[in-house]
Amino acid sequence: MANEESGRAGVGSLFGAVVTDIHFWIPLIVLVAGLVLLHELR
């Protein structure tokens, strides 16, 4: 049972890390793309 709990915690923390990573990188990519587009339009 201890192994099962630690396994679930590992999956949960891994999922949390992936979700956090996605929610960090997507807005950053959108921001950089917007800045590049604004620079190109000037």
Side-chain angles (χ1 to χ4, degrees):
M1 188 175 247
N3 289 340
E4 188 176 322
E5 289 175 359
S6 64
R8 286 182 182 173
V11 171
S13 62
L14 178 63
F15 179 73
V18 170
V19 169
T20 302
D21 198 32
I22 289 171
H23 283 96
F24 171 75
W25 285 109
I26 289 177
L28 183 63
I29 290 168
V30 170
L31 177 64
V32 170
L35 291 174
V36 169
L37 183 61
L38 285 173
H39 180 70
E40 292 295 323
L41 291 175
R42 280 187 159 188

